[in-house]
Amino acid sequence: MQILFYHPDFDSSLWVRSLEQAIPGATVRIWKPGDNATADFALVWHPPREMLAGRDNLKAVIALGAGVDSVLNQLKQDPDFIPAHVPLYRLEDAGMGKQMQEFAVSQVLRWFRRFDDYQDLQREGRWEPLEEYQTSEFTVGILGAGVLSKCVAESLLPWSFPVRTWSRQVKDWPGVHSFAGKASLSDFLSETRVLINLLPHTPQTEGMIDQQLLACLPQGAFLLNLGRGAHVVEDDLLAAMESGQITRATLDVVREEPLPASNPLWRHPHVTITPHIAASTRLEDAVIYLAKLMNALEQGEIPPGQVDKVRGY
């Protein structure tokens, strides 16, 4: 098995050693300009065109993360960026599910127990017990129903929050109320107290969280964006927060990353910004996942995680 590896930020030599240890007989090499030698698989993150174009013998291109935006954006501009018959895969869950669970549960509990409100009172020097929220009225709605969304939903159920999800197709997840299709979106939103976004980034979901969508939530709702920054119309979010329609928002992703210092989101007292760290690609978990994925492809199987290049996920 011949494997090409390219990531502009990772310690590539460490990944090469770990992959070769996990896949006996495999040869892994770091791609460099001019390398046109044969390869079975290409493991990539923001790959240059020269690495992939014309590689008709590849069995798969595998993105080293849950998102494949950079590859799909390049495909839109250049349909030959990846040979049409070569499948594209992503890491569905290489330890990222647990990280998303930690992030989502900690944030929902923070809002539910009103820790941010108490922090505001502390700054004012006020000792003032606040009215408690009730779990039965603290419905958590998840936009998107992929692997990571399912992990997040399952982690919230033990806390007795009502959990619902919205997606293109109905899901049969125990304890989770599933909504599907555009016609059901307003019903999904109408009782969602905490909205968690885990949608894929597609032309259909671009700017989806706008003034109209936010207005469908109950007054004083909360927003947690773990999907993509492009999903949120930031001016609409700020306006909804000024009106009290949205009480607080936590954004792990924003439209422009890094977020410019001039962006008013930095200075809003009820917005929390984290630098796209909700779930990172971790070496040990990713290598196990990649080994299993490539071995399955070698056996002629079609494992989960294949990306529909037209739909975008």
Side-chain angles (χ1 to χ4, degrees):
M1 188 188 298
Q2 298 288 326
I3 302 170
L4 275 181
F5 185 92
Y6 178 85
H7 197 298
D9 303 317
F10 285 171
D11 180 347
S12 297
S13 60
L14 181 59
W15 280 76
V16 168
R17 291 195 299 272
S18 298
L19 285 163
E20 288 185 338
Q21 289 173 1
I23 311 171
T27 299
V28 186
R29 68 182 189 272
I30 301 168
W31 181 84
K32 296 178 181 178
D35 180 352
N36 297 313
T38 187
D40 299 302
F41 300 100
L43 312 183
V44 303
W45 192 250
H46 297 287
R49 185 185 193 280
E50 183 187 352
M51 178 183 181
L52 300 177
R55 287 190 177 275
D56 296 328
N57 293 325
L58 281 175
K59 296 175 183 176
V61 173
I62 305 172
L64 293 167
V68 289
D69 299 26
S70 68
V71 175
L72 293 176
N73 288 338
Q74 291 179 80
L75 270 174
K76 289 176 188 175
Q77 300 171 19
D78 179 6
D80 296 325
F81 178 65
I82 298 175
H85 65 279
V86 175
L88 173 64
Y89 280 82
R90 62 186 176 88
L91 301 187
E92 277 205 324
D93 183 10
M96 289 172 279
K98 184 175 184 296
Q99 295 175 66
M100 283 291 188
Q101 289 177 329
E102 294 167 349
F103 198 112
V105 170
S106 64
Q107 186 57 77
V108 172
L109 290 176
R110 182 175 183 85
W111 286 331
F112 177 67
R113 292 302 306 268
R114 307 193 67 170
F115 291 145
D116 288 316
D117 296 328
Y118 283 117
Q119 193 167 22
D120 290 344
L121 292 174
Q122 179 181 343
R123 281 191 286 266
E124 299 173 14
R126 293 168 55 192
W127 182 281
E128 182 182 338
L130 299 172
E131 181 181 355
E132 295 182 355
Y133 294 138
Q134 302 301 311
T135 53
S136 61
E137 299 173 356
F138 214 75
T139 298
V140 180
I142 303 171
L143 284 171
V147 171
L148 296 180
S149 295
K150 186 175 183 181
C151 289
V152 169
E154 291 173 346
S155 69
L156 289 165
L157 290 173
W159 298 95
S160 300
F161 297 117
V163 179
R164 53 179 53 191
T165 188
W166 180 85
S167 57
R168 200 166 53 90
Q169 297 178 333
V170 174
K171 301 294 181 180
D172 183 18
W173 297 351
V176 178
H177 187 179
S178 176
F179 294 78
K182 291 183 179 180
S184 72
L185 181 58
S186 59
D187 288 339
F188 162 80
L189 295 167
S190 65
E191 295 180 11
T192 293
R193 190 71 175 276
V194 177
L195 181 65
I196 300 178
N197 176 45
L198 277 164
L199 286 167
H201 182 199
T202 69
Q204 292 72 37
T205 62
E206 173 90 19
M208 182 173 171
I209 303 176
D210 59 6
Q211 180 183 14
Q212 182 178 358
L213 183 145
L214 295 171
C216 292
L217 294 165
Q219 181 81 10
F222 302 84
L223 172 66
L224 172 57
N225 189 12
L226 300 175
R228 288 290 180 267
H231 291 137
V232 176
V233 179
E234 292 174 359
D235 287 344
D236 289 0
L237 172 60
L238 287 167
M241 299 191 74
E242 290 304 312
S243 72
Q245 176 63 17
I246 301 297
T247 297
R248 296 186 185 272
T250 293
L251 309 176
D252 183 58
V253 288
V254 288
R255 186 168 291 272
E256 183 179 355
E257 297 180 3
L259 186 65
S262 60
N263 193 301
L265 289 170
W266 280 121
R267 297 180 293 281
H268 197 289
H270 290 173
V271 174
T272 298
I273 303 289
T274 53
H276 206 147
I277 48 77
S280 60
T281 302
R282 294 177 175 170
L283 175 63
E284 183 176 345
D285 293 323
V287 165
I288 293 171
Y289 185 94
L290 288 166
K292 182 178 179 181
L293 173 61
M294 288 185 285
N295 283 327
L297 289 166
E298 281 281 88
Q299 298 300 316
E301 301 173 16
I302 302 178
Q306 184 171 352
V307 176
D308 185 318
K309 296 175 188 175
V310 176
R311 285 207 323 241
Y313 60 93

